[in-house]
Each structure stands twice: as C-alpha cells, then as structure tokens.
Amino acid sequence: MTALGRSLSNEACTDQAFDLRVGRILFNESQGSEGEFGSAQVWDFLTLIVLPDLALERFPPSGRGGVARLTGGNRRHVFQRLWRRWNVFGEDIVEAQELTEDDYVALLERRLTGQNRALATKTVAEIRRTSRTGQSRRDFTRVFMRQLVQMSGLVEIGDEDPEHLKALFAHVTDVTERALSDA
C-alpha cells in the first residue's frame, strides 16, 4: 500500500482520477480477503496509519465531510466508498466512469442495491438507459431508487427470475418517468 501513496502523491490528479486509481488498487489488494475489508478497524488502519497523506489530500478535515470521512464505519469513508464501488459493481461499470458521485451514493447507501450485485448492476443499466444528465439524472436516480425501495416492500426483488426483474424495472421506470413529468 505504500507504493500507492508514492504513486499518487507524485502526480496531480482530479478527484475522479484519484477515486478510480485508489479504488482499483484497494479492490485488487483485497482479493481473497474481502471479509476483512468489512471491518471499520481495517479502514481506520489504512486511513490513519498507512495512507493518512492520501486521505487528507482527498478530504481535508476542514472540507466537506470533515473528519467523519476519515474514520471507519462511515458509509462515505474516504477509501471504503471507493472499494465498495469495485466490490459491488465490478470493473466494467466502475472503469466506464459513467456513474456520478450522486449515482454511487444513491445505489450504495441502500441495502437493496448495496448488497445485491445483480440488482445494483441492473439499476445501473436502467440509469444509463435514460441518457439523462445533470440535475435531470440526479432527479431520475433519486425517484427511481425511492420507487424501487418502496416496491421491495410489496414484492420479492431477486435475481432468480430475469423476466420478473425486467417487468419490475419497466414498472419502476414508468412510475419514475410519470412522477418526474408531473413535477
């Protein structure tokens, strides 16, 4: 991990490039020990002992999120959020760089999509399919996720039956589009 710190600190990069590179390295390093990366103490160790310079570079304590982003257990932890992207969505989705920070937050902060890879990737496909951008996309994602979570209280949402999932997503998308057009 110290090589990570040296390679990133020697060159300037955007927040998005930083997030992509660090997330990829964390994910690759975690292979075979994913369970350990579920522990808040591991993230504390990485942030406060191994990579404090990188953590503070990305999220200075006086900036947005403050010190909370530097301690394990925080769902928006400086490094854990990057690792979770790779762990839930996989290489193809993360490296495509089509999701915004708001998209990641909307999907990963809900148990329904944050803990079900198939459902998460299906949701990403639906967000991409809309071709929306900016505020329109944020609104779509927010309403879509709210509708999907509400539906999960009424019907079983799993990845066992692709036709059921297809019909469910068509319905949620339709309800979302109607809600947005009425607003």
Side-chain angles (χ1 to χ4, degrees):
M1 287 294 186
T2 56
L4 169 65
R6 284 192 302 273
S7 74
L8 284 171
S9 62
N10 290 336
E11 57 185 83
C13 62
T14 64
D15 289 347
Q16 185 176 12
F18 177 97
D19 289 353
L20 183 65
R21 292 177 66 195
V22 171
R24 179 185 303 114
I25 292 168
L26 289 169
F27 179 72
N28 289 338
E29 292 295 322
S30 76
Q31 295 303 297
S33 57
E34 291 88 352
E36 293 175 21
F37 282 74
S39 168
Q41 291 83 9
V42 168
W43 297 108
D44 283 342
F45 179 75
L46 286 173
T47 305
L48 303 172
I49 306 299
V50 180
L51 302 169
D53 295 346
L54 286 178
L56 293 172
E57 179 181 325
R58 181 62 175 92
F59 288 107
S62 60
R64 188 174 174 194
V67 175
R69 285 190 180 256
L70 305 176
T71 58
N74 183 316
R75 67 180 187 249
R76 294 185 181 176
H77 183 274
V78 62
F79 297 132
Q80 185 179 20
R81 68 190 179 82
L82 305 176
W83 173 79
R84 284 194 71 218
R85 292 174 185 183
W86 286 79
N87 198 43
V88 172
F89 299 111
E91 182 177 340
D92 292 341
I93 289 175
V94 176
E95 286 193 344
Q97 298 184 45
E98 293 176 359
L99 294 179
T100 66
E101 187 70 26
D102 289 336
D103 293 334
Y104 283 124
V105 168
L107 293 160
L108 292 174
E109 290 188 1
R110 282 154 186 84
R111 184 173 294 146
L112 183 63
T113 47
Q115 295 180 353
N116 183 327
R117 175 179 261 192
L119 193 56
T121 56
K122 176 76 173 150
T123 303
V124 168
E126 201 62 27
I127 292 169
R128 286 174 166 170
R129 191 189 63 70
T130 68
S131 300
R132 292 172 178 259
T133 60
Q135 186 63 43
S136 175
R137 177 165 168 160
R138 283 189 290 282
D139 292 343
F140 177 86
T141 302
R142 181 181 47 78
V143 174
F144 183 89
M145 288 305 299
R146 185 175 62 229
Q147 294 297 325
L148 189 61
V149 169
Q150 287 176 354
M151 288 300 296
S152 73
L154 301 173
V155 297
E156 172 104 20
I157 300 178
D159 56 357
E160 302 84 31
D161 183 358
E163 289 304 312
H164 169 75
L165 202 55
K166 182 178 177 182
L168 175 70
F169 270 74
H171 173 74
V172 171
T173 299
D174 184 52
V175 169
T176 300
E177 294 288 1
R178 280 188 279 136
L180 291 172
S181 68
D182 292 344

